[in-house]
Amino acid sequence: MGINLRKNKNAQNAGFGKYYPEVDVKTTLSLKGFAKHLVDHGSTYKQDVVEGVLKKITECLPELVSQGVPVQLEPLGTFYPTAKSAKGIMLSEMPNVTPDDVVKGIHIRFLPYSVSDEDITSRRFKEDYCTLEFAYIVEARKVNTGSAKPRTVQDKTPFATFMVDNFGTSNTGGGGSTNTNPTNGGGDNNGGGDNGGGDNGGGESGADQN
């Protein structure tokens, strides 16, 4: 897994000037691609059967979660709903509001399985599944600044190049962890955090890094 480093440029933040890690996310694998991956790993079922099962999961799982029913897929984890608040209400307002007035959205959350040797919470997942190496130094840059609609692009400098330019060494910093399960494929997700609930991120690295 490639790890990028991004500099915190928010001068009002305690982490200003420091570099923080983020996963170098690759192209998302489609359902068909995931089914092929499963078949290539020794599935006894043909790809069309595997695709059919996966498609049924994508239909039924949201249906159950929409009814407030958490779905546990052992030993992966549990999918469950949480409500995003639109506003708080006073006791006196309750006779005149509906759930749609107070709920802005419903999130489908994922909580990794965390039982004994099947634990895949963040630290265990890193230790058992991931081999980490630095990939890029990422820096945001605004383009078309003179136009009405400037946009931001992400410049990615290979970590080895950055090290040579700044320290005269090409040390890539690889080998930081050991993958004891190399046959198990991971996903491409870079979001979600360590906790299943809550809508707001914390920590000094969570500030605006431009």
Side-chain angles (χ1 to χ4, degrees):
M1 176 183 287
I3 298 297
N4 299 335
L5 293 175
R6 185 187 296 270
K7 190 175 184 178
N8 186 330
K9 295 184 177 181
N10 183 354
Q12 305 304 315
N13 186 261
F16 175 66
K18 295 181 180 179
Y19 288 82
Y20 289 91
E22 61 186 32
V23 173
D24 185 47
V25 180
K26 298 176 174 60
T27 303
T28 300
L29 193 64
S30 66
L31 185 145
K32 185 174 183 178
F34 184 49
K36 183 179 185 302
H37 178 85
L38 293 176
V39 172
D40 291 344
H41 274 228
S43 172
T44 57
Y45 300 99
K46 294 183 178 179
Q47 183 166 338
D48 59 341
V49 175
V50 175
E51 282 187 43
V53 172
L54 291 175
K55 287 179 180 177
K56 197 63 180 177
I57 290 174
T58 65
E59 295 172 3
C60 293
L61 191 148
E63 176 188 354
L64 290 168
V65 173
S66 73
Q67 298 169 9
V69 179
V71 178
Q72 185 178 81
L73 299 181
E74 299 180 14
L76 185 61
T78 302
F79 294 86
Y80 67 99
T82 63
K84 182 176 179 62
S85 174
K87 62 178 181 178
I89 59 172
M90 301 296 292
L91 176 64
S92 60
E93 298 176 280
M94 287 187 184
N96 301 312
V97 297
T98 69
D100 285 326
D101 295 325
V102 296
V103 177
K104 185 174 183 179
I106 299 293
H107 294 289
I108 298 180
R109 299 293 191 186
F110 173 71
L111 182 65
Y113 205 59
S114 58
V115 177
S116 62
D117 59 340
E118 294 180 333
D119 181 351
I120 60 167
T121 51
S122 62
R123 293 187 182 183
R124 186 67 178 270
F125 184 77
K126 175 195 168 192
E127 292 171 1
D128 290 355
Y129 288 83
C130 303
T131 300
L132 307 182
E133 62 180 9
F134 286 127
Y136 298 97
I137 300 295
V138 181
E139 184 169 358
R141 174 171 56 89
K142 291 188 180 297
V143 297
N144 298 330
T145 54
S147 68
K149 293 183 178 180
R151 60 189 181 92
T152 301
V153 298
Q154 307 292 329
D155 290 331
K156 299 174 72 172
T157 303
F159 184 77
T161 301
F162 181 85
M163 291 295 288
V164 169
D165 290 345
N166 288 272
F167 302 101
T169 174
S170 60
N171 176 26
T172 61
S177 58
T178 302
N179 183 351
T180 59
N181 246 326
T183 59
N184 290 327
D188 287 328
N189 255 340
N190 189 23
D194 296 332
N195 299 314
D199 298 320
N200 299 318
E204 63 179 21
S205 63
D208 177 16
Q209 298 180 19
N210 197 18

